[in-house]
Amino acid sequence: MIGNFPYFAVILLIGCGIYILMFQKNLIKLAIGINLIENGINLFLITLGYRKGAIAPIYTQAPSGQAMVLPTPQALTLTSIVIGVATSALILSMAMMIYKHYGTIEVNEVRRLRG
Amino acid sequence: MNSFVELIHITILIITIFAGLLAVIFKKLLPAVIAASAVSLLLSLEFYLLHAPDVAIAEAAIGAGLTMAIFIFAIRGTK
Amino acid sequence: MLGLLETGSGFWSAIIWILLVLVIGGMVIYLRNKGEDSYKKNTEQDKPFISGNPEESKESSHLSASHIYWGFTEALKGYYDPLVKMHTGHINDYSGWIIVLTVIILIVIGVSG
Amino acid sequence: MREMSKIIRNVTNLVYGFIIIFGFYIIVHGHLTPGGGFQGGAVVASAFAAMLISYGQLNTKKFLNINIFSLLESCGLTMFIGVAFLGLGTTFFYNFLANSGSWFGNIVIPGINAGDMNTAGVLPLMNIAVGLEVFSGLGIIVLLMADGAEYTKKKEKAENDR
Amino acid sequence: MNLFNHTPILILAVPLLTAFLIPIIGKINKKTTGILATLALGLSLIMTIVLAAKVLSVGPQVYVFGEKSSLLTLPSGLKFPIRIMFQIDAMGIFMGLITALVSFLGAVYSLAFLDNKDKIDSYYSLLLLLTVSMFGMEFTGDLFNFFVFLEIASMASVSLICYRGADLGEPVEAGFKYMVVSSISALMVLFAVGIFYGEYDVLNIAAIASVVKYSQLDKIALGILVSVLAMKAGAVPMHMWTPDAYSEAPAPITMILVAASQASLYAIFRIVFSMYNITLNTLAVGWIIIILGLLSMFIGVTMAIIQKDIKRLMAYHAISQTGYMLLGVGVGLAVLANPEALKDYGITAMEGGIFHIMNHAMYKGLLFLTAGALFFRTGTRDLNKMGGLAHYMKYTTIFFIIGAAAIAGLPPFNGFASKLLIYESVYKFNPLLSIIAMVVSILTLASFVKVFHSAFLGPKLPQFKEVKEVPRSMVFAMAVLSCIIIFFGLFPDLIVKNLVHPAVMSLIEQLQYTGTVLGGM
Amino acid sequence: MKKIIFVIAFIVFFSFLVVSAVNMRPFGNPTFSEMDDYFIKNAQSETGANNVVTSIVFDYRGFDTLGEATVLFTTIVGIVALFRRITK
């Protein structure tokens, strides 16, 4: 019934993010787009690690005799979440500094460097 | 039983996608940020259902809490 | 021999090249020194002759950078205009070109099998 | 950012201590229950964010100091890489304490058990180091961005709000 | 505990530890941070040379994290490694040498260039972190670890690009643009990592190489990886961030950024050669890389001619020189499945391309440093406002002439040696490509004649009366690079035989890379 | 003109993503899981931690975690340098 539906959720989130990055014209919106791609890829990794009818990979007071989901993607996702918040923080502080110097956060006007 | 869990998965994912689309189409920044934060929150729920409690805690605290806070600071700083 | 670079179809050696340059340069200097001896320094001979007009001041005679290849860019206007126009400075374009190129590469890889 | 109404401040007063304690619990029990340095650090930092939002950054600066945070952050990172260096007798990041019988070195019976704090070798140490680094680091980010929001926004607008 | 066995990790760990300690030390004394960073980078340069000697004499080195012995790679009963490891072969150490040298000289140059700036401790910390991330990208044998280091590299370079952003708007704009594109690239790399993980359940590059099948998903992953990493390397038409970032960063950082983008180039080669090798359609992917190279060469150089900002001009040249590397290696890849052609000219073409990486790092670094020296004394980067500086800055002029001659491929400098290798071998593959490469070389010379004329020649200008030669540490950094350029130009065979040829062979022969980990499976 | 190219590219890129989603192995049934089975089986005895994820994060892939902490540190140093006019 569920089929490959989670993967489609992943690519829809990535698609939303890339759409924002390609067509929307506000610096903070761009940060939101990157955040969405990030979330999509996190979901992708966790989905890869899921195993039907398995439990979380923690031995403390676990029900016995059941398979566990794959733990590696969870470790990778933890890394990628922290990297994601770091990226957002840096991008947003740069957007604030751009506003300080330029007085705008519209993409059309933030282009003194060209040619 | 099994199909019930799958139904919950599908529902959460559909709401997540819907929130993601809202984050795209909202022109105002604050609603867009809140929609993006809702995506994070729902994903954290989905992570829990996928048996990844470690990631769920991290996503709830960082993705939904802190990221939204810094986005709101940034929106205040660019007004 | 040291400094001998095999290129598959021949070789290149900077040291031999330098020796050759030294030899040829020596010959050129020798020939030059044998040349015209009526030239004298600090006379009318070494002043620039600009069709009888007085020499301009040195500051205004310096050609600034944007004028150096004026003719070149003017001749290739049809090439340069769209090229410069492509460098818009929009961030959307930056990310857009990445997607465009990714798509092209994916199509080429997919078609070629 | 100005401070919020008195209700919100009181609720924050009540809650944020518990949030911080819960964060440290998550950090310390990282090798037994879901959680660890990152998650716990993030929870503690979100308590700081709540405080910042309800009290305004001018008041918050009285009890949260960026200099101390940056010191803590460097300490945490140095401790983390230091623990990794200590494994250099065999290789970098070698877990030299596990199953050794000394600190955090109790041998666990493989399989499901109730959990013993005194296991896992260097992992609890690394959890604490990373937790220290993450909560102070995210704290710096939140504090600096709140300051930056005041710094970069238009000045006359800020006057109107007051 | 034999520290000699741990050189691979100490190369990274020493600058990393210094970077973590610098914020604490900076609170006590700001002046010492620069010297400390230089010392750490010098130490890691020495260790890199030691490791290079070991790799070139003994063979590829493997360093496993957290295993009982640093040589034990496979846990019992498994076919592939589970831990993160460093796999350092000749190609990796070749890039490592470039990184170590360039960042050490950058730190030395910064001592005078950024004297008395505020928050100088942050600057040195970020410089060390950028260096560490480049080492990590070049040494690592794990795909996810590569992503992490890619992320550190982009964060550190963005922070350094907008280091002047507290007072000026343009650096922040450049940093923002670079951040957006490098986030996309890093996330796409992570997507590809996810694809590999989902398909094969391995993350080690050598282990993936042993199981990769070139299925539909592998093709998508390959396309994404090649395109986003080519973007990080600055290939046309995704080069637009390059002039922005290179021109707005402080000069020593620009020099290191060149090496950082070459680390991405290295990653393309690593993925195409070591991971896929002949399972992929070599002709198609080879032509993709060749065409990217041609576009980069031609558009880069033609855009450079019309620039007025000296560092922007040099940045466009960096794009065009990247094209040469892509061209050389692309030709090698196109004939990879054809042993005769590979032996006839493929290996030579790759030698040219790989040798050009090192040469480019050296002369482009030198040129950016001279541009920085001009900026340091005159306070402007606009070529229209400069003139007659040769009267005041004798050493800088000499260094500029050496660098410009090297980039234009004039004999006897090093640019000529690598370009000659590329011309001759590419001519056998397709004469047209070789001719375009030569035309580009001529245009390069033309645009540097323009810079030389407008910045250094001409009469003394009144506004530059106070200008004098730059401080000693800056001259030292430029002089070292000039000496290296001249040495490489005079004895190119030493470098090609001892460093470049092993690097090329370790790329072409996949087993040399995977065999060290998987034991010849 | 450029916008049309971008729209087409976006659509084609999205369709490639759809292709990859269709070709992905079925949800919930990993084809290969040797590495993870090794972790689940041996993590407890090798590192002594009950939480397998933590033992991967800090032991088997500890170097990644160091890199991740470094990313956070890099960002903070960068932001401090960017906002240096305020913090003085």
Side-chain angles (χ1 to χ4, degrees):
Chain A
M1 168 174 156
I2 190 161
N4 264 1
F5 184 71
Y7 297 121
F8 285 98
V10 168
I11 60 165
L12 275 169
L13 280 178
I14 296 177
C16 285
I18 286 180
Y19 177 84
I20 291 184
L21 286 172
M22 280 173 83
F23 298 111
Q24 295 207 341
K25 305 222 174 282
N26 187 311
L27 297 189
I28 290 183
K29 259 317 206 15
L30 297 184
I32 293 176
I34 289 172
N35 207 355
L36 282 181
I37 303 180
E38 175 82 40
N39 280 334
I41 288 173
N42 288 344
L43 179 61
F44 180 52
L45 289 174
I46 291 291
T47 312
L48 287 176
Y50 183 63
R51 190 149 38 180
K52 268 184 187 147
I55 55 165
I58 295 163
Y59 280 104
T60 311
Q61 284 160 356
S64 59
Q66 267 184 302
M68 289 179 173
V69 301
L70 311 188
T72 316
Q74 301 190 16
L76 305 188
T77 314
L78 271 180
T79 309
S80 117
I81 285 175
V82 176
I83 289 175
V85 72
T87 316
S88 300
L90 194 56
I91 283 192
L92 290 173
S93 29
M94 279 193 292
M96 281 150 75
M97 270 330 252
I98 285 177
Y99 185 79
K100 168 84 180 163
H101 292 300
Y102 286 28
T104 175
I105 48 167
E106 285 298 307
V107 167
N108 291 331
E109 293 166 49
V110 185
R111 51 195 198 104
R112 285 189 205 164
L113 299 168
R114 57 170 185 246
Chain B
M1 174 61 200
N2 207 4
S3 65
F4 178 67
V5 174
E6 286 189 351
L7 200 67
I8 295 177
H9 276 297
I10 291 175
T11 322
I12 290 178
L13 286 175
I14 285 175
I15 303 173
T16 313
I17 295 164
F18 185 66
L21 286 175
L22 283 184
V24 175
I25 57 176
F26 278 143
K27 280 277 170 274
K28 283 200 167 175
L29 289 177
L30 201 58
V33 167
I34 289 168
S37 173
V39 171
S40 279
L41 203 59
L42 287 163
L43 275 187
S44 135
L45 202 59
E46 173 67 23
F47 290 159
Y48 186 76
L49 289 182
L50 290 172
H51 296 291
D54 291 82
V55 187
I57 295 175
E59 178 79 30
I62 292 180
L66 279 170
T67 309
M68 184 158 134
I70 58 177
F71 265 105
I72 287 173
F73 290 145
I75 290 172
R76 284 183 67 86
T78 54
K79 222 186 272 180
Chain C
M1 190 193 133
L2 204 61
L4 200 69
L5 181 66
E6 301 276 344
T7 58
S9 58
F11 70 93
W12 152 251
S13 168
I15 294 168
I16 294 174
W17 185 83
I18 288 175
L19 287 177
L20 269 177
V21 166
L22 283 181
V23 168
I24 295 172
M27 281 160 66
V28 168
I29 290 170
Y30 175 71
L31 285 177
R32 189 177 177 277
N33 284 349
K34 281 181 70 178
E36 180 71 37
D37 54 359
S38 67
Y39 176 81
K40 290 182 190 64
K41 276 198 167 176
N42 298 327
T43 56
E44 280 287 304
Q45 280 177 335
D46 67 346
K47 281 204 173 153
F49 181 76
I50 310 174
S51 57
N53 296 319
E55 194 188 349
E56 279 187 55
S57 82
K58 288 203 165 180
E59 278 75 14
S60 58
S61 70
H62 186 65
L63 195 62
S64 74
S66 35
H67 301 125
I68 288 185
Y69 291 122
W70 178 80
F72 180 79
T73 47
E74 196 68 16
L76 294 177
K77 220 172 170 39
Y79 170 73
Y80 268 114
D81 276 351
L83 194 65
V84 175
K85 222 170 159 188
M86 213 177 85
H87 294 78
T88 48
H90 272 96
I91 307 172
N92 299 128
D93 291 359
Y94 289 35
S95 37
W97 283 114
I98 299 173
I99 303 298
V100 171
L101 202 88
T102 312
V103 162
I104 292 172
I105 289 179
L106 283 174
I107 289 174
V108 172
I109 291 178
V111 167
S112 71
Chain D
M1 203 171 281
R2 289 167 306 154
E3 59 178 30
M4 296 258 205
S5 70
K6 194 161 184 182
I7 302 170
I8 295 180
R9 270 184 288 155
N10 279 335
V11 170
T12 314
N13 262 343
L14 212 62
V15 164
Y16 93 99
F18 290 108
I19 297 181
I20 287 177
I21 288 170
F22 178 61
F24 282 115
Y25 170 84
I26 289 180
I27 292 174
V28 175
H29 286 78
H31 56 292
L32 298 178
T33 54
F38 293 110
Q39 295 91 331
V43 169
V44 175
S46 64
F48 295 151
M51 204 154 130
L52 201 61
I53 285 173
S54 56
Y55 277 86
Q57 92 268 34
L58 283 180
N59 289 323
T60 313
K61 269 193 179 163
K62 285 172 198 158
F63 30 143
L64 296 180
N65 189 333
I66 288 186
N67 284 328
I68 291 172
F69 271 163
S70 92
L71 200 67
L72 279 180
E73 192 207 359
S74 284
C75 284
L77 273 171
T78 316
M79 186 176 153
F80 186 26
I81 200 173
V83 173
F85 260 117
L86 285 179
L88 213 56
T90 38
T91 47
F92 204 64
F93 268 107
Y94 181 65
N95 194 342
F96 60 98
L97 283 176
N99 302 332
S100 69
S102 59
W103 278 13
F104 299 115
N106 279 3
I107 296 166
V108 289
I109 308 120
I112 287 145
N113 55 23
D116 179 4
M117 273 299 283
N118 199 10
T119 53
V122 295
L123 303 198
L125 294 178
M126 283 180 172
N127 260 330
I128 292 167
V130 168
L132 204 62
E133 195 261 336
V134 168
F135 90 73
S136 46
L138 292 176
I140 293 177
I141 287 182
V142 174
L143 277 174
L144 264 181
M145 291 196 65
D147 273 2
E150 294 302 309
Y151 173 67
T152 54
K153 77 169 164 191
K154 283 204 180 105
K155 285 292 176 287
E156 61 268 31
K157 182 99 176 166
E159 292 297 315
N160 287 342
D161 280 353
R162 219 158 275 260
Chain E
M1 167 163 157
N2 183 5
L3 276 183
F4 192 70
N5 283 339
H6 296 291
T7 33
I9 180 59
L10 286 178
I11 290 173
L12 274 90
V14 169
L16 197 58
L17 185 61
T18 320
F20 294 158
L21 287 175
I22 273 181
I24 301 178
I25 295 167
K27 292 233 184 333
I28 303 162
N29 187 347
K30 286 226 186 321
K31 289 273 174 200
T32 50
T33 53
I35 296 160
L36 205 64
T38 316
L39 282 179
L41 287 174
L43 195 60
S44 97
L45 174 62
I46 292 168
M47 285 189 294
T48 316
I49 292 169
V50 169
L51 182 65
K54 201 171 168 189
V55 168
L56 293 174
S57 59
V58 179
Q61 296 287 312
V62 176
Y63 189 90
V64 186
F65 292 96
E67 193 65 74
K68 285 207 177 58
S69 149
S70 62
L71 296 175
L72 181 68
T73 57
L74 298 171
S76 53
L78 271 184
K79 291 204 295 288
F80 43 81
I82 53 163
R83 289 176 186 263
I84 295 175
M85 59 177 59
F86 275 179
Q87 272 168 271
I88 305 161
D89 61 348
M91 182 71 202
I93 198 68
F94 175 79
M95 299 299 297
L97 278 174
I98 297 173
T99 307
L101 190 64
V102 161
S103 47
F104 172 67
L105 290 175
V108 171
Y109 187 89
S110 307
L111 286 178
F113 187 75
L114 287 157
D115 205 14
N116 291 328
K117 292 274 196 317
D118 50 348
K119 278 287 169 199
I120 195 70
D121 48 339
S122 302
Y123 173 84
Y124 283 112
S125 193
L126 289 168
L127 180 64
L128 288 168
L129 291 169
L130 181 55
T131 313
V132 167
S133 66
M134 279 146 63
F135 276 129
M137 282 161 75
E138 287 149 5
F139 289 171
T140 190
D142 191 280
L143 213 49
F144 188 77
N145 201 241
F146 171 78
F147 158 77
V148 172
F149 280 112
L150 189 71
E151 217 30 289
I152 302 177
S154 50
M155 296 283 180
S157 29
V158 165
S159 309
L160 284 167
I161 287 166
C162 42
Y163 179 71
R164 299 186 302 136
D167 312 305
L168 287 169
E170 285 85 354
V172 193
E173 184 191 333
F176 192 92
K177 288 174 176 172
Y178 184 32
M179 187 75 227
V180 170
V181 288
S182 61
S183 299
I184 298 175
S185 102
L187 290 172
M188 286 295 137
V189 169
L190 185 53
F191 186 68
V193 174
I195 287 178
F196 286 128
Y197 177 82
E199 263 194 306
Y200 307 117
D201 198 50
V202 283
L203 288 168
N204 190 286
I205 295 178
I208 294 174
S210 67
V211 291
V212 76
K213 287 196 291 280
Y214 204 48
S215 64
Q216 201 83 26
L217 283 172
D218 288 342
K219 282 179 193 170
I220 289 175
L222 173 73
I224 288 176
L225 282 172
V226 167
S227 108
V228 296
L229 289 172
M231 190 281 291
K232 290 280 281 186
V236 171
M238 305 168 290
H239 63 291
M240 283 115 158
W241 62 270
T242 325
D244 301 354
Y246 284 10
S247 64
E248 292 301 330
I253 297 310
T254 316
M255 178 170 82
I256 301 175
L257 280 179
V258 172
S261 61
Q262 285 171 352
S264 305
L265 202 67
Y266 159 81
I268 298 183
F269 300 159
R270 183 55 86 205
I271 282 161
V272 171
F273 282 99
S274 293
M275 222 160 89
Y276 285 87
N277 209 296
I278 49 173
T279 51
L280 51 71
N281 186 338
T282 49
L283 204 60
V285 181
W287 270 103
I288 289 173
I289 292 180
I290 290 171
I291 294 211
L292 275 181
L294 279 186
L295 276 177
S296 308
M297 277 197 301
F298 200 72
I299 292 183
V301 81
T302 44
M303 282 303 288
I305 284 182
I306 57 169
Q307 295 301 316
K308 291 186 278 294
D309 181 328
I310 179 166
K311 279 178 84 178
R312 250 186 123 74
L313 186 145
M314 289 176 182
Y316 275 111
H317 278 297
I319 297 166
S320 122
Q321 300 297 313
T322 308
Y324 278 98
M325 304 160 203
L326 288 170
L327 175 65
V329 179
V331 169
L333 179 62
V335 297
L336 187 61
N338 178 358
E340 278 172 29
L342 187 66
K343 203 160 179 247
D344 190 17
Y345 54 84
I347 292 180
T348 317
M350 283 183 65
E351 276 174 1
I354 304 281
F355 189 28
H356 206 70
I357 295 180
M358 191 163 219
N359 291 338
H360 177 233
M362 297 305 144
Y363 57 65
K364 187 44 65 71
L366 178 64
L367 286 171
F368 276 123
L369 290 189
T370 53
L374 294 182
F375 180 72
F376 185 68
R377 284 303 185 206
T378 62
T380 178
R381 296 198 310 260
D382 195 343
L383 282 172
N384 283 334
K385 291 183 186 144
M386 290 185 193
L389 290 168
H391 297 286
Y392 308 106
M393 306 169 82
K394 300 238 164 20
Y395 290 121
T396 311
T397 315
I398 294 168
F399 296 143
F400 180 83
I401 292 172
I402 291 172
I407 196 176
L410 295 185
F413 296 102
N414 62 354
F416 179 75
S418 54
K419 282 186 183 175
L420 187 72
L421 288 174
I422 294 176
Y423 297 152
E424 293 211 347
S425 51
V426 172
Y427 189 82
K428 287 185 196 160
F429 178 71
N430 190 340
L432 191 65
L433 303 180
S434 187
I435 291 166
I436 294 175
M438 285 184 200
V439 170
V440 168
S441 195
I442 293 164
L443 289 174
T444 310
L445 182 62
S447 76
F448 272 95
V449 166
K450 166 182 161 178
V451 178
F452 186 60
H453 171 89
S454 47
F456 291 99
L457 295 186
K460 294 184 180 181
L461 293 181
Q463 66 265 36
F464 296 138
K465 271 211 183 78
E466 304 294 311
V467 172
K468 56 180 188 292
E469 190 51 70
V470 289
R472 214 172 291 153
S473 81
M474 290 164 74
V475 174
F476 171 76
M478 292 193 276
V480 170
L481 283 173
S482 311
C483 291
I484 291 172
I485 287 172
I486 291 172
F487 178 78
F488 282 12
L490 290 183
F491 307 108
D493 59 325
L494 281 182
I495 312 298
V496 170
K497 260 186 211 133
N498 295 326
L499 267 175
V500 178
H501 189 69
V504 170
M505 292 323 283
S506 75
L507 277 183
I508 290 177
E509 286 172 12
Q510 196 185 14
L511 264 181
Q512 258 193 31
Y513 187 75
T514 55
T516 50
V517 176
L518 303 173
M521 278 177 36
Chain F
M1 178 60 199
K2 200 171 64 192
K3 191 151 185 171
I4 298 167
I5 296 176
F6 279 7
V7 170
I8 294 170
F10 176 72
I11 293 167
V12 178
F13 185 73
F14 192 75
S15 57
F16 270 110
L17 286 182
V18 172
V19 169
S20 68
V22 170
N23 281 330
M24 216 63 192
R25 61 170 173 68
F27 172 69
N29 296 316
T31 340
F32 301 100
S33 59
E34 270 181 306
M35 181 166 72
D36 296 273
D37 289 339
Y38 179 87
F39 286 146
I40 291 170
K41 215 170 98 196
N42 296 332
Q44 216 182 2
S45 56
E46 281 185 4
T47 66
N50 273 347
N51 189 342
V52 183
V53 179
T54 306
S55 68
I56 292 175
V57 165
F58 288 108
D59 192 311
Y60 294 102
R61 305 191 69 83
F63 197 59
D64 270 351
T65 311
L66 181 62
E68 172 193 6
T70 312
V71 170
L72 199 56
F73 177 75
T74 313
T75 318
I76 290 153
V77 175
I79 296 178
V80 168
L82 192 61
F83 283 148
R84 60 176 176 265
R85 290 278 172 274
I86 322 170
T87 49
K88 238 188 332 198

